[in-house]
Amino acid sequence: MSEWKMLTLVGEDRPGIVSRITRTLFELGCALGETSMIRLGGNFTIMMMVSGDGEIQAQLPPVAESLGLRMHLDPISGGLHQHRFANYQVRVSGADRPGIVAQVTGALADAGFNILELESDVAGSEQKPVYIMQIQGYSEALLEDLEGAVNAVSGGDVDVTLSPIETLIG
Amino acid sequence: MAILEILTIPDERLKQVSAPVEDFGAPLQGFLADLEETRLNGPAAVGIAAPQVAHFQRICIVDCSVTRKPVPNHGRLVLINPEIIEWDGYEAGREGCLSVPDYTGNVIRATKIRLKAQQPSGEEREYAMEGFEARAVQHELDHLDGLLFTDRVVSRRTDLFRRKVYQKGGNKSS
């Protein structure tokens, strides 16, 4: 285990959640590391690395409850400065149906692709929903081999495209 | 020749606007050699700008001839008093920076540019550039105006749809 814990908070979105939570953590003497905070389907979701000796488990729950948030705090291994930079981007879009994510990520996993980040959304309308997903990841596999894997699940009503990411350092 | 120290954020000097080069004599040539040596010394950087080594003149070096996947490029370019005179299109791409260690982000840049710059000799030249090389030049020119890519990072959700159309089994865009 490391000095870091993973704090997870989920609840109905409203203004002020981030401010109240982070101010409380600051007052408890905690530091924040990498975080992801995003609104999903009307909920606000927070996953953040926190460190410090602050009594989070004792002090934060009343604040979370007052904001209508459910909370988890878990010890984790790992720490900062362990980034792996993506070298491939996968874009998926198509008519929404069950199984798209499982099929695409299954093909990628079989080809040795490590997902570093995945964001997906349902766009379109209630009558005609469209699934849109963006994946960034790392793989030692050749572009051609990954394309072969992805092409096997692309077609019909779902488009899957793959492109290399050449990160510019300047 | 010498390897120069690279300024990293939050060094305020990175926000300084650099001055045009007027003297193309021996001190400039010596500095250019040091700047190139510094670029090659770090993690594979395709470009470096003079203000990154606390030399506040409008000078940068760009070399996109050594990317993992080959891209259209003009080889190694030493650009003095560079100026972009035409822009076209836009595209998001991933960038990092010697002055911002251990971070990368998506930045929207023009896909095609026309660039005017002087050579180390003082002679003026024009270049038509696209894609990765055009991105590298825009990244370096920002340094000359005191801007970092972190001033332009966009969320991935801003990426929307890319402009190029991927054709399965046919010509691949990159």
Side-chain angles (χ1 to χ4, degrees), chain B:
Chain B
M1 298 270 282
I3 290 166
L4 307 168
E5 191 191 340
I6 291 177
L7 303 183
T8 55
I9 56 165
D11 196 310
E12 283 292 312
R13 289 174 290 176
L14 287 165
K15 296 181 182 172
Q16 194 168 323
V17 177
S18 291
V21 173
E22 286 164 3
D23 184 348
F24 288 77
L28 173 69
Q29 310 306 328
F31 171 71
L32 292 177
D34 290 346
L35 187 62
E36 176 67 349
E37 195 182 352
T38 306
R39 177 180 76 88
L40 295 174
N41 180 56
V46 295
I48 191 168
Q52 288 181 280
V53 296
H55 184 105
F56 301 99
Q57 282 194 300
R58 303 189 80 81
I59 300 167
C60 57
I61 299 175
V62 170
D63 184 356
C64 295
S65 66
V66 290
T67 52
R68 211 159 36 96
K69 196 165 171 269
V71 295
N73 71 87
H74 291 81
R76 194 174 77 86
L77 296 174
V78 178
L79 305 170
I80 319 264
N81 300 327
E83 198 183 332
I84 296 172
I85 47 180
E86 280 175 40
W87 286 263
D88 191 27
Y90 60 88
E91 190 171 44
R94 199 108 182 130
E95 298 186 18
C97 184
L98 297 171
S99 298
V100 188
D102 197 34
Y103 182 76
T104 64
N106 284 340
V107 182
I108 293 172
R109 303 280 191 192
T111 45
K112 287 186 179 175
I113 57 169
R114 194 155 191 78
L115 177 75
K116 189 171 79 173
Q118 284 170 280
Q119 308 278 293
S121 62
E123 179 202 344
E124 197 165 276
R125 274 196 62 181
E126 268 191 39
Y127 309 86
M129 294 178 167
E130 60 177 294
F132 195 75
E133 188 181 45
R135 171 174 299 276
V137 163
Q138 290 168 79
H139 177 115
E140 299 313 331
L141 261 63
D142 267 354
H143 281 299
L144 307 184
D145 290 323
L147 288 171
L148 297 172
F149 82 98
T150 45
D151 296 316
R152 298 190 188 273
V153 163
V154 294
S155 145
R156 257 167 224 124
R157 294 209 162 197
T158 317
D159 188 338
L160 301 177
F161 292 93
R162 80 216 139 102
R163 294 151 51 78
K164 291 180 186 173
V165 177
Y166 178 97
Q167 293 158 0
K168 286 180 202 75
N171 297 326
K172 287 155 195 142
S173 63
S174 57

Side-chain angles (χ1 to χ4, degrees), chain A residues 38 81 83 85 91 117 119-121 132 136 143 147 154 159 161-162 164-170, chain B residues 45-47 52 68-69 94-98 102 104 132 135-136 139-140 156-157 159 162 166 168 172:
Chain A
I38 194 164
H81 308 293
H83 295 120
F85 294 117
R91 294 178 171 94
E117 192 168 323
E119 271 187 349
S120 69
D121 213 334
I132 297 174
Q136 280 98 36
L143 177 64
E147 274 176 342
S154 186
D159 265 339
T161 64
L162 179 89
I165 299 176
E166 180 94 42
T167 300
L168 183 149
I169 307 293
Chain B
V46 295
Q52 288 181 280
R68 211 159 36 96
K69 196 165 171 269
R94 199 108 182 130
E95 298 186 18
C97 184
L98 297 171
D102 197 34
T104 64
F132 195 75
R135 171 174 299 276
H139 177 115
E140 299 313 331
R156 257 167 224 124
R157 294 209 162 197
D159 188 338
R162 80 216 139 102
Y166 178 97
K168 286 180 202 75
K172 287 155 195 142

Side-chain angles (χ1 to χ4, degrees), chain A residues 100-121:
Chain A
I100 294 176
V101 181
Q103 284 172 6
V104 173
T105 58
L108 290 170
D110 290 345
F113 184 99
N114 183 13
I115 294 175
L116 298 172
E117 192 168 323
L118 184 155
E119 271 187 349
S120 69
D121 213 334

